[in-house]
mmCIF file of all heavy atoms in Angstrom:
data_model
loop_
_atom_site.group_PDB
_atom_site.id
_atom_site.type_symbol
_atom_site.label_atom_id
_atom_site.label_comp_id
_atom_site.label_asym_id
_atom_site.label_seq_id
_atom_site.Cartn_x
_atom_site.Cartn_y
_atom_site.Cartn_z
ATOM 1 N N TYR W 711 9.029 24.185 18.057
ATOM 2 C CA TYR W 711 8.212 25.330 18.458
ATOM 3 C C TYR W 711 8.411 25.625 19.941
ATOM 4 O O TYR W 711 8.797 26.731 20.321
ATOM 5 C CB TYR W 711 6.733 25.069 18.161
ATOM 6 C CG TYR W 711 5.843 26.140 18.757
ATOM 7 C CD1 TYR W 711 5.639 27.337 18.086
ATOM 8 C CD2 TYR W 711 5.252 25.974 20.012
ATOM 9 C CE1 TYR W 711 4.863 28.339 18.645
ATOM 10 C CE2 TYR W 711 4.477 26.966 20.572
ATOM 11 C CZ TYR W 711 4.286 28.155 19.881
ATOM 12 O OH TYR W 711 3.530 29.155 20.454
ATOM 13 N N ASN W 712 8.139 24.660 20.796
ATOM 14 C CA ASN W 712 8.272 24.907 22.225
ATOM 15 C C ASN W 712 9.739 25.066 22.632
ATOM 16 O O ASN W 712 10.050 25.795 23.573
ATOM 17 C CB ASN W 712 7.625 23.774 23.028
ATOM 18 C CG ASN W 712 6.981 24.270 24.298
ATOM 19 O OD1 ASN W 712 6.394 25.348 24.322
ATOM 20 N ND2 ASN W 712 7.092 23.498 25.370
ATOM 21 N N SER W 713 10.639 24.388 21.902
ATOM 22 C CA SER W 713 12.070 24.528 22.197
ATOM 23 C C SER W 713 12.555 25.943 21.916
ATOM 24 O O SER W 713 13.524 26.406 22.536
ATOM 25 C CB SER W 713 12.879 23.519 21.363
ATOM 26 O OG SER W 713 12.451 22.195 21.610
ATOM 27 N N SER W 714 11.896 26.626 20.983
ATOM 28 C CA SER W 714 12.277 28.007 20.653
ATOM 29 C C SER W 714 12.015 28.956 21.807
ATOM 30 O O SER W 714 12.474 30.102 21.791
ATOM 31 C CB SER W 714 11.508 28.484 19.411
ATOM 32 O OG SER W 714 11.791 27.666 18.302
ATOM 33 N N TRP W 715 11.275 28.493 22.796
ATOM 34 C CA TRP W 715 11.048 29.271 24.022
ATOM 35 C C TRP W 715 12.384 29.749 24.591
ATOM 36 O O TRP W 715 12.504 30.878 25.077
ATOM 37 C CB TRP W 715 10.319 28.379 25.026
ATOM 38 C CG TRP W 715 9.811 29.041 26.260
ATOM 39 C CD1 TRP W 715 8.555 29.536 26.471
ATOM 40 C CD2 TRP W 715 10.519 29.257 27.493
ATOM 41 N NE1 TRP W 715 8.437 30.047 27.741
ATOM 42 C CE2 TRP W 715 9.622 29.889 28.394
ATOM 43 C CE3 TRP W 715 11.814 28.979 27.918
ATOM 44 C CZ2 TRP W 715 9.991 30.243 29.687
ATOM 45 C CZ3 TRP W 715 12.191 29.333 29.207
ATOM 46 C CH2 TRP W 715 11.282 29.950 30.077
ATOM 47 N N TYR W 716 13.388 28.895 24.498
ATOM 48 C CA TYR W 716 14.684 29.219 25.094
ATOM 49 C C TYR W 716 15.460 30.272 24.313
ATOM 50 O O TYR W 716 16.377 30.884 24.852
ATOM 51 C CB TYR W 716 15.524 27.954 25.263
ATOM 52 C CG TYR W 716 15.059 27.106 26.424
ATOM 53 C CD1 TYR W 716 14.532 25.833 26.216
ATOM 54 C CD2 TYR W 716 15.131 27.587 27.727
ATOM 55 C CE1 TYR W 716 14.093 25.067 27.278
ATOM 56 C CE2 TYR W 716 14.690 26.818 28.800
ATOM 57 C CZ TYR W 716 14.179 25.560 28.574
ATOM 58 O OH TYR W 716 13.740 24.814 29.633
ATOM 59 N N ILE W 717 15.119 30.468 23.034
ATOM 60 C CA ILE W 717 15.766 31.553 22.291
ATOM 61 C C ILE W 717 15.437 32.885 22.953
ATOM 62 O O ILE W 717 16.321 33.710 23.228
ATOM 63 C CB ILE W 717 15.317 31.555 20.815
ATOM 64 C CG1 ILE W 717 15.777 30.267 20.114
ATOM 65 C CG2 ILE W 717 15.866 32.785 20.084
ATOM 66 C CD1 ILE W 717 15.297 30.148 18.687
ATOM 67 N N GLY W 718 14.135 33.082 23.224
ATOM 68 C CA GLY W 718 13.725 34.292 23.928
ATOM 69 C C GLY W 718 14.270 34.341 25.334
ATOM 70 O O GLY W 718 14.677 35.399 25.828
ATOM 71 N N SER W 719 14.293 33.184 25.989
ATOM 72 C CA SER W 719 14.792 33.122 27.355
ATOM 73 C C SER W 719 16.277 33.485 27.423
ATOM 74 O O SER W 719 16.714 34.205 28.330
ATOM 75 C CB SER W 719 14.566 31.709 27.905
ATOM 76 O OG SER W 719 14.989 31.611 29.237
ATOM 77 N N ILE W 720 17.054 33.010 26.466
ATOM 78 C CA ILE W 720 18.493 33.322 26.416
ATOM 79 C C ILE W 720 18.700 34.814 26.208
ATOM 80 O O ILE W 720 19.496 35.463 26.911
ATOM 81 C CB ILE W 720 19.175 32.518 25.288
ATOM 82 C CG1 ILE W 720 19.223 31.030 25.652
ATOM 83 C CG2 ILE W 720 20.583 33.042 25.031
ATOM 84 C CD1 ILE W 720 19.610 30.144 24.493
ATOM 85 N N ILE W 721 17.986 35.374 25.231
ATOM 86 C CA ILE W 721 18.131 36.812 24.942
ATOM 87 C C ILE W 721 17.754 37.623 26.173
ATOM 88 O O ILE W 721 18.456 38.572 26.556
ATOM 89 C CB ILE W 721 17.257 37.201 23.736
ATOM 90 C CG1 ILE W 721 17.774 36.514 22.469
ATOM 91 C CG2 ILE W 721 17.255 38.724 23.548
ATOM 92 C CD1 ILE W 721 16.880 36.687 21.264
ATOM 93 N N SER W 722 16.650 37.238 26.809
ATOM 94 C CA SER W 722 16.194 37.953 28.001
ATOM 95 C C SER W 722 17.235 37.894 29.116
ATOM 96 O O SER W 722 17.546 38.908 29.751
ATOM 97 C CB SER W 722 14.875 37.348 28.486
ATOM 98 O OG SER W 722 14.513 37.863 29.739
ATOM 99 N N ALA W 723 17.770 36.698 29.353
ATOM 100 C CA ALA W 723 18.733 36.523 30.448
ATOM 101 C C ALA W 723 19.974 37.385 30.236
ATOM 102 O O ALA W 723 20.469 38.028 31.181
ATOM 103 C CB ALA W 723 19.120 35.053 30.571
ATOM 104 N N TRP W 724 20.467 37.432 29.009
ATOM 105 C CA TRP W 724 21.703 38.175 28.757
ATOM 106 C C TRP W 724 21.464 39.675 28.609
ATOM 107 O O TRP W 724 22.343 40.486 28.911
ATOM 108 C CB TRP W 724 22.426 37.597 27.546
ATOM 109 C CG TRP W 724 23.022 36.262 27.881
ATOM 110 C CD1 TRP W 724 22.542 35.034 27.518
ATOM 111 C CD2 TRP W 724 24.160 36.015 28.704
ATOM 112 N NE1 TRP W 724 23.320 34.039 28.043
ATOM 113 C CE2 TRP W 724 24.327 34.618 28.779
ATOM 114 C CE3 TRP W 724 25.062 36.835 29.380
ATOM 115 C CZ2 TRP W 724 25.357 34.019 29.506
ATOM 116 C CZ3 TRP W 724 26.090 36.232 30.099
ATOM 117 C CH2 TRP W 724 26.227 34.857 30.161
ATOM 118 N N VAL W 725 20.277 40.057 28.144
ATOM 119 C CA VAL W 725 19.941 41.488 28.108
ATOM 120 C C VAL W 725 19.853 42.035 29.530
ATOM 121 O O VAL W 725 20.385 43.113 29.835
ATOM 122 C CB VAL W 725 18.619 41.729 27.346
ATOM 123 C CG1 VAL W 725 18.088 43.136 27.607
ATOM 124 C CG2 VAL W 725 18.832 41.542 25.841
ATOM 125 N N THR W 726 19.180 41.296 30.399
ATOM 126 C CA THR W 726 19.061 41.759 31.793
ATOM 127 C C THR W 726 20.428 41.751 32.488
ATOM 128 O O THR W 726 20.715 42.629 33.312
ATOM 129 C CB THR W 726 18.069 40.889 32.591
ATOM 130 O OG1 THR W 726 18.425 39.509 32.449
ATOM 131 C CG2 THR W 726 16.654 41.085 32.090
ATOM 132 N N TYR W 727 21.266 40.799 32.149
ATOM 133 C CA TYR W 727 22.618 40.771 32.714
ATOM 134 C C TYR W 727 23.405 42.001 32.260
ATOM 135 O O TYR W 727 24.097 42.655 33.057
ATOM 136 C CB TYR W 727 23.351 39.499 32.287
ATOM 137 C CG TYR W 727 24.787 39.435 32.778
ATOM 138 C CD1 TYR W 727 25.069 39.146 34.109
ATOM 139 C CD2 TYR W 727 25.851 39.659 31.905
ATOM 140 C CE1 TYR W 727 26.381 39.087 34.567
ATOM 141 C CE2 TYR W 727 27.160 39.608 32.349
ATOM 142 C CZ TYR W 727 27.418 39.316 33.678
ATOM 143 O OH TYR W 727 28.724 39.263 34.129
ATOM 144 N N ALA W 728 23.265 42.351 30.959
ATOM 145 C CA ALA W 728 23.996 43.505 30.414
ATOM 146 C C ALA W 728 23.522 44.812 31.045
ATOM 147 O O ALA W 728 24.335 45.674 31.418
ATOM 148 C CB ALA W 728 23.832 43.556 28.897
ATOM 149 N N THR W 729 22.201 44.975 31.163
ATOM 150 C CA THR W 729 21.695 46.228 31.746
ATOM 151 C C THR W 729 21.995 46.308 33.238
ATOM 152 O O THR W 729 22.207 47.388 33.782
ATOM 153 C CB THR W 729 20.178 46.366 31.510
ATOM 154 O OG1 THR W 729 19.495 45.225 32.063
ATOM 155 C CG2 THR W 729 19.861 46.470 30.018
ATOM 156 N N LEU W 730 22.029 45.149 33.894
ATOM 157 C CA LEU W 730 22.385 45.125 35.316
ATOM 158 C C LEU W 730 23.810 45.628 35.532
ATOM 159 O O LEU W 730 24.097 46.368 36.477
ATOM 160 C CB LEU W 730 22.239 43.699 35.863
ATOM 161 C CG LEU W 730 22.682 43.464 37.313
ATOM 162 C CD1 LEU W 730 21.760 44.197 38.278
ATOM 163 C CD2 LEU W 730 22.687 41.972 37.631
#
Side-chain angles (χ1 to χ4, degrees):
Y711 171 83
N712 215 38
S713 303
S714 300
W715 189 95
Y716 284 115
I717 296 176
S719 182
I720 290 168
I721 294 172
S722 171
W724 288 104
V725 166
T726 52
Y727 177 75
T729 57
L730 175 67

